Amino acid sequence: EEIIEASEIGAFETLKVLYMLSSIGYVSPKRGNTTAAERSEASAAEMGAPADFDESKFTALVMEYNTMFSYLHRCLLREAGPVATALFEKYFSELQAREEDGLFAGMYPAADGSLPVKPILENLRHEKTGGPPRQRLEARLQSLVDRQIRGLRRILGDEYARHAEGALQGLRMKL
């Protein structure tokens, strides 16, 4: 109700946007009058995750990378047409095949190039490999960005890839 009241696009359109965001894992319904930290701890406990697993921070990280994936997908789509989606899926499946622990197992990129947040977090919670989860997650997401940049470079040339890398750096600073 608070979101609808604050929205400038009307209740119906706001609900449509919220439904879309919920269906791709960007947002989830509020559970009672708990704080985000309490919800994160409860969710982690339910899933058997360590107590220091901060879901909100991991969600923010995935969403930051999703912004970059969407930007790169739009660039490739604008310049290369429908082949862009096939290329992104190829890079993503190559990354999935290289994985030993299955962080990206059982998921596919959305039409805009973004990745589903909830399955990534669930897989991250259950990973058996060592090391800080944030570093593992960021390394994998960055690997996918690097693959997409290499694809841009291969298809559109060095200058275009350098421009996209600069735009991504600016985008990361804003986020």
Side-chain angles (χ1 to χ4, degrees):
E1 293 174 340
E2 293 174 36
I3 295 172
I4 292 171
E5 288 175 22
S7 174
E8 297 177 6
I9 61 174
F12 182 70
E13 292 297 321
T14 301
L15 288 172
K16 284 184 2 184
V17 170
L18 287 172
Y19 175 77
M20 186 258 329
L21 291 172
S22 174
S23 67
I24 61 174
Y26 276 70
V27 298
S28 60
K30 185 176 175 183
R31 296 183 199 156
N33 290 330
T34 58
T35 65
E38 290 169 338
R39 287 191 304 276
S40 178
E41 284 178 25
S43 178
E46 289 170 10
M47 299 302 294
D52 64 344
F53 190 92
D54 188 345
E55 185 173 321
S56 62
K57 288 183 181 177
F58 291 118
T59 298
L61 179 64
V62 174
M63 289 176 69
E64 177 182 326
Y65 274 90
N66 272 342
T67 303
M68 290 188 273
F69 296 144
S70 294
Y71 172 78
L72 290 170
H73 187 266
R74 281 191 314 270
C75 288
L76 202 53
L77 191 60
R78 182 178 58 238
E79 300 297 329
V83 75
T85 302
L87 285 171
F88 183 78
E89 288 174 1
K90 175 185 180 240
Y91 300 140
F92 188 71
S93 63
E94 286 174 358
L95 187 61
Q96 283 177 315
R98 278 193 17 205
E99 285 188 309
E100 295 175 10
D101 53 21
L103 180 63
F104 297 131
M107 67 183 76
Y108 296 94
D112 69 347
S114 64
L115 301 177
V117 177
K118 286 183 181 183
I120 291 174
L121 296 183
E122 287 177 29
N123 290 346
L124 185 64
R125 279 188 191 100
H126 299 297
E127 268 191 327
K128 303 293 185 220
T129 56
R134 180 179 173 86
Q135 289 177 352
R136 293 192 318 264
L137 177 60
E138 192 158 17
R140 297 287 183 37
L141 294 170
Q142 186 60 48
S143 177
L144 188 54
V145 168
D146 294 342
R147 285 174 181 275
Q148 288 181 307
I149 294 287
R150 282 195 301 271
L152 278 174
R153 184 168 280 117
R154 223 177 289 135
I155 294 168
L156 304 172
D158 284 336
E159 186 176 333
Y160 197 91
R162 279 193 300 274
H163 172 73
E165 286 174 317
L168 288 180
Q169 287 175 351
L171 194 61
R172 256 196 124 156
M173 285 183 218
K174 289 179 184 176
L175 299 171

